[in-house]
Amino acid sequence: MQTIVEDVREGNGAAIAQAAEIIRAGELVAFPTETVYGLGAIGLDGDACAKIYEAKGRPSDNPLIQHVSDRDMVKRVARDIPPMAEKLMAAFMPGPLTLILPRSEAVPDKVTGGLDTVAVRMPENPVARSLIRVADVPIAAPSANRSGRPSPTTAAAVLRDLEGRIPMILNGGPCRYGVESTIVDCTEDVATILRPGAISMEEIRELLGDCRLDAGLVEASAAPKAPGMKYRHYAPKAPLTLFVGEPAAVEQAIEEEAKKIESAGKTVGLLGSRELLLKLSGAVPSACAQNYGHRGDLLTNASRLYACLLAFDGLPVDTILAEGVEEKDLGLAILNRLKKASGGHVVQV
Ligand code: TXA
Ligand code: MG
């Protein structure tokens, strides 16, 4: 199959109309959102959605998010909208937020992983919204990567993973946030974050008065409620160790470890802030560095994270040492993805 890439950075009604046609015909289109690129199919058609699982190599027990363009479409996939979900929708939709709601009968079994709930998201990216509006159906879409790989934040990254496997990619330029949406379970008495993202726990608490983190995010032994969160994810090919703690102590620990690796004749990859990399450039001259932006600039750190992780696959690195960020706001999402990329190799200094 040939994969065509259409540039929609300056709007391109004809390309979006063509993409909507492809979706309505039961085929797949990758499209930009403000979080990461999605791989879409008509959300209420089980056979069309099965093609997503095949193209990605995704386990069939991992349910898909239904993307909608307006509130009426939410009702086509959800049986009921609990009051806390109403409040979250009014405050943060459209935006980088996914709600877990009771599922409507219209949603095919193939995309729910056997659950009685459905994940719903209304993206704010104008290309994503017009695609859903023109197709006039909810669009089921996971991130547009092969399963287990970092999510794509550019059309080029989608092409690298899925060329020849899907008919079309809409190129809307780089994604604004660069990490996937915050998933909030609205089916229990207290709103529960199943996956941290750009809408922070602090913001949700302020709105609802209460919000907790899923036990699967806090305790290593607890099973996560979002099925996809149990898989190793976001991983570059070389092993990665994450360092967390006070910046000065982290710098020192990474420098010591990097020198050890270098003196063993291996090549170290460094992933971190501009500040860290400047500090270490003299001490570990052979390192391959990926800069995720200024320390504390969490939006830039998030938006560059996956591109940095993917870049290591093209570099001759044996092992990667990564600097963590502060555990607040978007930092929670960044740390969650880095922990997953490390497969649990986290050094607290
Ligand atoms: O930002 C995003 O959410 C992106 C863009 C494309 O919208 N999408 C995305 O989809 O990240 P995906 O499939 O890569 O991740 C969806 C996550 C998975 O961990 C899945 O298990 C979880 O959502 N999920 C889906 N339906 C669920 C449900 N009913 N209950 C709990 N978790 C669910
Ligand atoms: Mg994904």
Side-chain angles (χ1 to χ4, degrees):
M1 181 189 301
Q2 201 198 337
T3 303
I4 52 172
V5 182
E6 288 285 351
D7 189 342
V8 291
R9 278 172 296 180
E10 258 140 49
N12 180 341
I16 290 175
Q18 189 190 353
E21 271 309 302
I22 293 175
I23 296 261
R24 288 189 69 90
E27 299 297 329
L28 309 183
V29 174
F31 60 95
T33 83
E34 66 276 19
T35 57
V36 300
Y37 275 71
L39 178 60
I42 186 163
L44 304 181
D45 178 338
D47 292 337
C49 291
K51 294 178 186 167
I52 293 178
Y53 287 86
E54 198 185 319
K56 279 181 62 89
R58 183 180 176 101
S60 63
D61 71 342
N62 193 0
L64 303 178
I65 297 174
Q66 297 282 347
H67 293 67
V68 300
S69 57
D70 55 58
R71 290 183 49 106
D72 280 346
M73 235 189 238
V74 177
K75 297 191 193 125
R76 287 165 73 177
V77 293
R79 188 170 71 232
D80 175 37
I81 303 177
M84 81 170 82
E86 289 284 1
K87 283 192 193 161
L88 287 165
M89 282 167 58
F92 302 120
M93 277 195 179
L97 178 70
T98 295
L99 300 181
I100 304 299
L101 302 172
R103 160 197 172 188
S104 128
E105 301 271 303
V107 180
D109 290 338
K110 270 187 193 152
V111 307
T112 59
L115 300 173
D116 189 33
T117 52
V118 64
V120 186
R121 154 155 153 73
M122 192 188 297
E124 76 183 342
N125 176 290
V127 174
R129 292 199 82 190
S130 23
L131 176 64
I132 305 164
R133 205 176 321 111
V134 176
D136 196 26
V137 285
I139 295 184
S143 48
N145 50 291
R146 294 274 294 164
S147 223
R149 305 261 303 143
S151 299
T153 55
T154 61
V158 178
L159 194 66
R160 209 161 2 163
D161 265 22
L162 296 177
E163 182 163 24
R165 306 181 77 90
I166 59 173
M168 190 181 204
I169 301 171
L170 295 176
N171 176 7
C175 300
R176 174 162 177 227
Y177 296 108
V179 291
E180 302 83 346
S181 60
T182 307
I183 302 180
V184 181
D185 183 1
C186 300
T187 64
E188 290 180 27
D189 48 345
V190 177
T192 307
I193 295 183
L194 306 188
R195 178 177 72 183
I199 304 293
S200 68
M201 172 134 100
E202 292 84 343
E203 286 173 287
I204 297 173
R205 275 214 177 118
E206 197 167 308
L207 179 77
L208 298 179
D210 202 1
C211 174
R212 65 186 174 207
L213 284 176
D214 182 40
L217 293 171
V218 189
E219 301 151 33
S221 58
K225 192 163 178 187
M229 297 295 281
K230 69 176 179 278
Y231 298 106
R232 177 150 189 248
H233 230 158
Y234 318 116
K237 287 174 188 149
L240 181 149
T241 303
L242 172 64
F243 291 77
V244 292
E246 278 303 306
V250 164
E251 263 173 21
Q252 201 187 337
I254 292 183
E255 178 172 340
E256 282 166 16
E257 188 59 28
K259 282 179 170 162
K260 255 191 249 166
I261 296 167
E262 195 177 54
S263 60
K266 305 244 179 207
T267 305
V268 60
L270 293 176
L271 169 60
S273 63
R274 197 180 145 75
E275 288 73 13
L276 172 94
L277 299 177
L278 274 175
K279 195 100 179 246
L280 265 57
S281 60
V284 198
S286 73
C288 293
Q290 289 296 321
N291 167 358
Y292 64 41
H294 283 291
R295 186 175 284 148
D297 179 359
L298 293 171
L299 182 56
T300 303
N301 301 162
S303 68
R304 289 198 190 164
L305 182 66
Y306 292 145
C308 287
L309 288 173
L310 283 166
F312 283 118
D313 289 348
L315 297 168
V317 296
D318 297 299
T319 183
I320 301 165
L321 307 179
E323 176 191 14
V325 297
E326 206 185 331
E327 192 166 29
K328 60 156 207 218
D329 303 328
L330 246 180
L332 197 63
I334 297 170
L335 283 172
N336 169 262
R337 307 313 190 269
L338 279 171
K339 281 179 191 163
K340 294 235 158 217
S342 78
H345 291 120
V346 183
V347 178
Q348 171 78 52
V349 290

